[in-house]
Amino acid sequence: MDFMTRILGGVLDYIFAIFAFATCGGYSGITKIKVFCPKDENLTAEAAFGYPFRLNKALLSLPEKKDCNGTWTQPQFLVGDFSSSAQFFVTFAVFVFLYCIAALVVYLCFLHLYRGAGKLPMIDFIVTVVVSFLWLISTSAWAKGLTDIKTSTGPSLLVGLQPCKTAKCVFDEVSSMGSLNVSVVVGFLNLILWAGNAWFVYKETHLHNPPAAEPPNPGSPPIPTGM
Protein backbone atom coordinates (compact mmCIF):
# COMPACT_ATOMS: atom_id res chain seq x y z
CA MET A 1 0.00 0.00 0.00
CA ASP A 2 1.05 3.62 -0.45
CA PHE A 3 2.58 4.35 2.96
CA MET A 4 1.74 8.08 3.08
CA THR A 5 -1.80 7.49 1.83
CA ARG A 6 -2.48 5.00 4.62
CA ILE A 7 -0.95 7.30 7.23
CA LEU A 8 -3.09 10.20 5.97
CA GLY A 9 -6.16 7.96 6.07
CA GLY A 10 -5.39 6.94 9.64
CA VAL A 11 -4.99 10.56 10.73
CA LEU A 12 -8.30 11.53 9.11
CA ASP A 13 -10.03 8.57 10.75
CA TYR A 14 -8.59 9.69 14.10
CA ILE A 15 -9.76 13.31 13.68
CA PHE A 16 -13.24 12.48 12.42
CA ALA A 17 -13.79 9.96 15.22
CA ILE A 18 -13.07 12.74 17.72
CA PHE A 19 -15.54 15.04 15.97
CA ALA A 20 -18.18 12.28 16.01
CA PHE A 21 -18.22 11.62 19.74
CA ALA A 22 -17.49 15.22 20.75
CA THR A 23 -20.35 16.81 18.78
CA CYS A 24 -22.86 14.28 20.10
CA GLY A 25 -21.62 13.48 23.59
CA GLY A 26 -21.00 17.11 24.54
CA TYR A 27 -24.46 18.46 23.69
CA SER A 28 -26.89 20.05 26.13
CA GLY A 29 -29.94 22.17 25.39
CA ILE A 30 -33.19 23.63 26.71
CA THR A 31 -36.74 23.59 25.39
CA LYS A 32 -39.33 26.16 26.53
CA ILE A 33 -43.08 26.64 26.34
CA LYS A 34 -45.26 29.60 27.34
CA VAL A 35 -48.16 28.86 29.68
CA PHE A 36 -51.11 31.28 29.81
CA CYS A 37 -52.50 30.66 33.28
CA PRO A 38 -56.19 31.30 34.03
CA LYS A 39 -56.61 34.36 36.24
CA ASP A 40 -52.85 34.54 36.74
CA GLU A 41 -49.65 35.76 35.13
CA ASN A 42 -48.22 34.09 32.07
CA LEU A 43 -45.31 31.77 32.82
CA THR A 44 -42.52 29.96 30.96
CA ALA A 45 -41.89 26.26 31.56
CA GLU A 46 -38.55 24.84 30.50
CA ALA A 47 -36.71 21.53 30.48
CA ALA A 48 -32.96 20.96 30.19
CA PHE A 49 -31.84 17.93 28.22
CA GLY A 50 -28.64 16.54 26.77
CA TYR A 51 -26.58 13.43 26.12
CA PRO A 52 -27.51 10.57 26.53
CA PHE A 53 -30.99 11.98 25.76
CA ARG A 54 -33.17 10.20 28.30
CA LEU A 55 -35.89 12.76 27.73
CA ASN A 56 -38.36 10.90 29.92
CA LYS A 57 -36.21 12.02 32.86
CA ALA A 58 -36.02 15.68 31.78
CA LEU A 59 -38.30 17.67 34.08
CA LEU A 60 -40.41 20.37 32.44
CA SER A 61 -40.93 22.87 35.23
CA LEU A 62 -42.30 26.30 35.93
CA PRO A 63 -40.38 28.96 37.88
CA GLU A 64 -39.96 28.12 41.55
CA LYS A 65 -43.14 28.23 43.71
CA LYS A 66 -45.40 28.72 40.69
CA ASP A 67 -48.24 26.33 39.88
CA CYS A 68 -50.16 28.32 37.24
CA ASN A 69 -53.16 28.90 39.49
CA GLY A 70 -53.36 25.23 40.45
CA THR A 71 -53.21 23.78 36.95
CA TRP A 72 -49.53 22.70 37.16
CA THR A 73 -49.35 20.69 40.36
CA GLN A 74 -47.74 17.43 39.18
CA PRO A 75 -44.22 16.96 37.75
CA GLN A 76 -44.18 16.99 33.95
CA PHE A 77 -41.50 15.28 31.86
CA LEU A 78 -40.54 15.17 28.23
CA VAL A 79 -41.34 12.03 26.27
CA GLY A 80 -38.93 9.40 24.94
CA ASP A 81 -35.68 7.64 25.76
CA PHE A 82 -33.13 7.87 22.93
CA SER A 83 -30.09 6.88 24.94
CA SER A 84 -29.51 3.57 23.14
CA SER A 85 -28.81 5.05 19.70
CA ALA A 86 -26.86 8.01 21.13
CA GLN A 87 -24.68 5.87 23.40
CA PHE A 88 -24.07 3.30 20.66
CA PHE A 89 -22.89 6.06 18.33
CA VAL A 90 -20.63 7.75 20.89
CA THR A 91 -19.21 4.53 22.35
CA PHE A 92 -18.42 3.16 18.91
CA ALA A 93 -16.73 6.45 17.92
CA VAL A 94 -14.55 6.24 21.05
CA PHE A 95 -13.51 2.67 20.23
CA VAL A 96 -12.66 3.74 16.66
CA PHE A 97 -10.59 6.60 18.09
CA LEU A 98 -8.59 4.15 20.22
CA TYR A 99 -8.17 1.73 17.31
CA CYS A 100 -6.84 4.55 15.14
CA ILE A 101 -4.18 5.33 17.73
CA ALA A 102 -3.08 1.69 17.79
CA ALA A 103 -3.10 1.46 13.98
CA LEU A 104 -1.02 4.62 13.59
CA VAL A 105 1.55 3.25 16.05
CA VAL A 106 1.84 0.10 13.95
CA TYR A 107 2.15 2.03 10.66
CA LEU A 108 4.74 4.45 12.03
CA CYS A 109 6.83 2.18 14.24
CA PHE A 110 6.29 -1.39 13.11
CA LEU A 111 5.67 -1.12 9.38
CA HIS A 112 8.24 -3.85 8.69
CA LEU A 113 6.19 -6.27 10.77
CA TYR A 114 3.01 -5.24 8.95
CA ARG A 115 4.54 -5.84 5.53
CA GLY A 116 6.31 -8.99 6.59
CA ALA A 117 3.34 -10.71 8.24
CA GLY A 118 0.84 -12.49 6.07
CA LYS A 119 -2.01 -12.44 8.60
CA LEU A 120 -1.73 -8.87 9.88
CA PRO A 121 -2.90 -7.14 6.67
CA MET A 122 -5.81 -9.59 6.44
CA ILE A 123 -6.83 -8.87 10.03
CA ASP A 124 -6.58 -5.14 9.32
CA PHE A 125 -8.77 -5.56 6.23
CA ILE A 126 -11.45 -7.49 8.12
CA VAL A 127 -11.49 -4.93 10.94
CA THR A 128 -11.73 -2.07 8.42
CA VAL A 129 -14.72 -3.66 6.67
CA VAL A 130 -16.47 -4.33 9.99
CA VAL A 131 -15.84 -0.76 11.18
CA SER A 132 -17.24 0.62 7.91
CA PHE A 133 -20.40 -1.44 8.35
CA LEU A 134 -20.80 -0.38 12.00
CA TRP A 135 -20.41 3.28 11.02
CA LEU A 136 -23.36 2.79 8.69
CA ILE A 137 -25.46 1.08 11.38
CA SER A 138 -24.60 3.43 14.26
CA THR A 139 -24.97 6.63 12.23
CA SER A 140 -28.28 5.54 10.71
CA ALA A 141 -29.65 4.67 14.15
CA TRP A 142 -28.44 7.96 15.59
CA ALA A 143 -29.91 9.94 12.67
CA LYS A 144 -33.30 8.35 13.39
CA GLY A 145 -32.89 9.06 17.11
CA LEU A 146 -32.02 12.69 16.41
CA THR A 147 -35.17 13.09 14.31
CA ASP A 148 -37.25 11.77 17.22
CA ILE A 149 -35.44 14.06 19.68
CA LYS A 150 -36.33 17.08 17.55
CA THR A 151 -39.95 15.95 17.55
CA SER A 152 -40.07 15.38 21.32
CA THR A 153 -38.52 18.76 22.15
CA GLY A 154 -40.43 20.75 19.52
CA PRO A 155 -44.07 21.88 19.31
CA SER A 156 -45.26 18.26 19.49
CA LEU A 157 -44.35 18.09 23.19
CA LEU A 158 -47.51 20.08 24.00
CA VAL A 159 -49.75 17.18 22.98
CA GLY A 160 -49.05 14.99 25.99
CA LEU A 161 -48.95 17.68 28.70
CA GLN A 162 -51.88 17.38 31.09
CA PRO A 163 -51.73 21.02 32.34
CA CYS A 164 -52.07 22.26 28.75
CA LYS A 165 -55.56 20.75 28.63
CA THR A 166 -56.63 23.36 31.19
CA ALA A 167 -54.26 26.25 30.56
CA LYS A 168 -53.32 27.52 27.12
CA CYS A 169 -49.79 26.49 26.14
CA VAL A 170 -47.70 27.74 23.23
CA PHE A 171 -44.34 26.39 22.18
CA ASP A 172 -41.63 29.01 22.68
CA GLU A 173 -38.18 27.79 21.60
CA VAL A 174 -35.62 25.00 21.72
CA SER A 175 -31.84 25.22 21.68
CA SER A 176 -30.12 24.83 18.33
CA MET A 177 -29.15 21.28 17.48
CA GLY A 178 -26.52 22.24 14.93
CA SER A 179 -23.78 20.23 16.61
CA LEU A 180 -26.00 17.13 16.60
CA ASN A 181 -26.63 17.60 12.88
CA VAL A 182 -22.86 17.84 12.43
CA SER A 183 -22.40 14.56 14.31
CA VAL A 184 -24.65 12.76 11.82
CA VAL A 185 -22.80 14.26 8.86
CA VAL A 186 -19.45 13.31 10.41
CA GLY A 187 -20.73 9.80 11.00
CA PHE A 188 -21.48 9.31 7.31
CA LEU A 189 -18.15 10.90 6.39
CA ASN A 190 -16.48 8.30 8.61
CA LEU A 191 -18.32 5.61 6.67
CA ILE A 192 -16.90 6.97 3.39
CA LEU A 193 -13.39 7.26 4.83
CA TRP A 194 -13.33 3.72 6.21
CA ALA A 195 -14.82 2.28 3.02
CA GLY A 196 -12.02 3.99 1.09
CA ASN A 197 -9.44 2.69 3.54
CA ALA A 198 -10.74 -0.82 2.99
CA TRP A 199 -9.57 -0.68 -0.64
CA PHE A 200 -6.02 0.35 0.30
CA VAL A 201 -5.80 -2.33 2.97
CA TYR A 202 -7.26 -4.92 0.61
CA LYS A 203 -4.38 -4.34 -1.82
CA GLU A 204 -1.97 -5.48 0.90
CA THR A 205 -3.70 -8.80 1.48
CA HIS A 206 -3.10 -12.08 -0.29
CA LEU A 207 -6.59 -11.73 -1.80
CA HIS A 208 -5.26 -8.99 -4.08
CA ASN A 209 -1.66 -10.21 -4.33
CA PRO A 210 -1.70 -14.02 -4.11
CA PRO A 211 1.69 -15.57 -3.30
CA ALA A 212 3.69 -16.51 -6.37
CA ALA A 213 3.90 -20.20 -7.19
CA GLU A 214 7.23 -21.81 -6.39
CA PRO A 215 9.35 -22.51 -9.50
CA PRO A 216 10.00 -26.18 -10.30
CA ASN A 217 13.18 -27.68 -8.92
CA PRO A 218 15.67 -27.78 -11.79
CA GLY A 219 17.41 -30.82 -10.28
CA SER A 220 14.30 -33.00 -10.49
CA PRO A 221 13.93 -35.09 -13.62
CA PRO A 222 10.78 -34.49 -15.68
CA ILE A 223 7.93 -36.88 -15.00
CA PRO A 224 7.45 -39.13 -18.06
CA THR A 225 4.05 -39.04 -19.63
CA GLY A 226 2.34 -42.03 -21.13
CA MET A 227 1.35 -42.32 -24.73
Side-chain angles (χ1 to χ4, degrees):
M1 100 181 88
D2 185 344
F3 175 70
M4 291 308 299
T5 300
R6 191 66 185 102
I7 292 297
L8 177 60
V11 171
L12 289 176
D13 294 338
Y14 173 85
I15 293 173
F16 276 86
I18 294 175
F19 272 107
F21 68 74
T23 51
C24 178
Y27 179 84
S28 62
I30 296 176
T31 185
K32 299 179 181 181
I33 64 172
K34 290 187 179 297
V35 185
F36 298 90
C37 305
K39 301 179 183 180
D40 202 349
E41 60 180 326
N42 300 331
L43 302 173
T44 298
E46 63 180 46
F49 63 96
Y51 179 82
F53 304 103
R54 294 187 177 93
L55 300 188
N56 55 347
K57 296 184 179 180
L59 179 64
L60 184 66
S61 59
L62 294 173
E64 188 177 0
K65 297 182 180 180
K66 299 289 185 178
D67 63 357
C68 195
N69 201 24
T71 60
W72 198 294
T73 57
Q74 299 296 323
Q76 303 296 318
F77 296 89
L78 300 181
V79 178
D81 183 353
F82 310 101
S83 59
S84 58
S85 59
Q87 289 180 317
F88 177 34
F89 180 79
V90 170
T91 302
F92 175 64
V94 171
F95 276 115
V96 171
F97 163 76
L98 297 175
Y99 177 78
C100 288
I101 294 176
L104 286 172
V105 170
V106 171
Y107 298 145
L108 291 173
C109 303
F110 304 101
L111 185 62
H112 62 287
L113 297 177
Y114 186 91
R115 288 177 170 171
K119 293 184 179 180
L120 194 55
M122 193 63 191
I123 293 173
D124 193 14
F125 173 66
I126 293 173
V127 171
T128 303
V129 172
V130 171
V131 169
S132 301
F133 178 72
L134 289 178
W135 271 123
L136 173 63
I137 298 300
S138 63
T139 305
S140 299
W142 169 229
K144 175 61 169 62
L146 178 56
T147 300
D148 294 338
I149 290 170
K150 291 179 179 180
T151 300
S152 296
T153 57
S156 299
L157 71 87
L158 300 176
V159 177
L161 291 178
Q162 188 66 30
C164 293
K165 297 178 180 179
T166 304
K168 179 182 178 181
C169 300
V170 177
F171 179 74
D172 187 7
E173 63 177 343
V174 63
S175 301
S176 172
M177 299 187 187
S179 66
L180 299 183
N181 293 331
V182 169
S183 69
V184 173
V185 173
V186 171
F188 284 115
L189 287 177
N190 273 302
L191 166 62
I192 295 172
L193 280 173
W194 280 86
N197 288 341
W199 167 247
F200 292 104
V201 178
Y202 169 75
K203 292 194 296 183
E204 283 295 308
T205 66
H206 63 79
L207 299 176
H208 184 264
N209 296 314
E214 294 184 2
N217 188 349
S220 301
I223 300 175
T225 57
M227 296 297 295

